Amino acid sequence: KSLPGITGLNNLGNTCYMNSVIQMLSHCSGFRSFFRDFLRAAAPLRLAGEGSHRITRQSTVRLKDAFVEDHSPSTLALTEATHALLRVLWSGRWSSISPRYFVNAVWKHGGLFAARKQQDANEFLNFYLGRVDDELRHPKSTSSVLMDLFGVDQYQEVKCDECKTVTKKTEPLLGVVLSLPDENAVKTDGKAQNDEVSDEEMVDKENVIDLLDCFGSLRTTGRFVGENKFDCDTCHAKKDASWSVSLQRRPQSLLISFRRTLWTLEKGLHKDSRRVKFPLELDASELLELETDRVSPDIDFEGCHYTLISVVSHSGSSPFVGHYISWCRVGGVDSNKWFLFNDSNVTEASESDVLNAEAFILLYERRGIPSV
């Protein structure tokens, strides 16, 4: 037996990238509340999205028994497999389980995720959320459960210098993917601002990046000029214009992934291993703008203050080799209990362990959301 929330997942052959991502998502209270509790209460039901899959009513023990099967029905949905997995993971009855049922569903729907090959956890997270969103979302609906949980809008605005027309575009995202600042730029800035520090201190500073600095590519401004003029629909001609990109909407849970896979002539395909410094408590008021100004300061603060819930970390020279693990806060945003999930092994961890991890994916949860 085990306490709810600290059940391990056995590695079924290079499936640590799946295990780490699922452990992270399972400790998101809103995600767990829907996929474990709501679907259990609503079953049997037919999903509104692609495939019209059904969620059947079964006992937790029956779901656990189904996990040992090394095959899956041709109609198996990832939503159904997720529901079954979370029911078993959070039952507190087993110290570890073999999630064959879920893994087979991934292999069935995700052609890129070949059986028993190491994969990029970021790519898996992107595939998984997109696939489950397709299964849940009605074809005519503009909203979805996952967008309510993780949705962030990337807002783009272009203003023509000639006619002053403003062209707007909003792209909904399930979390944000950040690029690490250019290494050369970091080194240049570091030397300019730290002339008196030692060479050893300079190396340490160059290899540590602040989380807020990574948001630069998603919150920026610029100009369309010269050969890159803006094709204005109002002027029916190419014109100089100014543009801006910002992030809007403050989701219940904020997913932040880092692009660490790089390719250069010198190193080929490799991983950017620089450490990103991230906080336990994140004030996102300057990162995520409001869609309306009619919000009081108190509500504004409560709506943009996030607490770290989970970190997916990786060791190895490339995201396609090595090993993935996850660190999760167990007990909700007010708990100080951290655990390290290393496939089937689950051990207690400290906040310092978490903060020193090489972050691949971060999960923050907005304050004020009830813990489940």
Side-chain angles (χ1 to χ4, degrees), residues 20-21 24 121 310-314 324-327 358-361:
S20 60
V21 168
M24 173 189 70
S310 183
V311 180
V312 171
S313 184
H314 175 267
Y324 288 95
I325 57 177
S326 58
W327 314 77
E358 183 185 288
F360 224 77
I361 307 171

Side-chain angles (χ1 to χ4, degrees), residues 65-172:
D65 292 341
F67 268 37
V68 302
E69 300 172 5
D70 206 9
H71 61 86
S72 59
S74 59
T75 57
L76 178 63
L78 263 180
T79 303
E80 179 184 7
T82 302
H83 166 65
L85 182 55
L86 263 64
R87 287 268 303 277
V88 175
L89 268 182
W90 284 79
S91 67
R93 302 183 187 185
W94 300 278
S95 60
S96 67
I97 59 173
S98 294
R100 295 185 186 278
Y101 192 52
F102 178 86
V103 170
N104 284 330
V106 172
W107 288 342
K108 167 181 165 49
H109 295 293
L112 294 175
F113 300 97
R116 295 172 178 82
K117 287 187 178 181
Q118 181 67 289
Q119 303 288 347
D120 187 319
N122 281 333
E123 292 183 0
F124 170 67
L125 176 64
N126 182 60
F127 152 76
Y128 172 78
L129 293 179
R131 174 65 200 183
V132 172
D133 193 49
D134 287 342
E135 292 178 359
L136 291 172
R137 185 197 295 258
H138 190 280
K140 296 182 180 180
S141 176
T142 57
S143 62
S144 71
V145 171
L146 291 186
M147 284 303 298
D148 288 342
L149 278 174
F150 305 118
V152 175
D153 291 332
Q154 185 173 27
Y155 177 73
Q156 304 174 44
E157 188 174 285
V158 180
K159 184 176 181 179
C160 176
D161 288 358
E162 184 75 22
C163 66
K164 308 303 180 185
T165 297
V166 176
T167 303
K168 302 176 182 179
K169 179 183 178 181
T170 300
E171 180 181 1

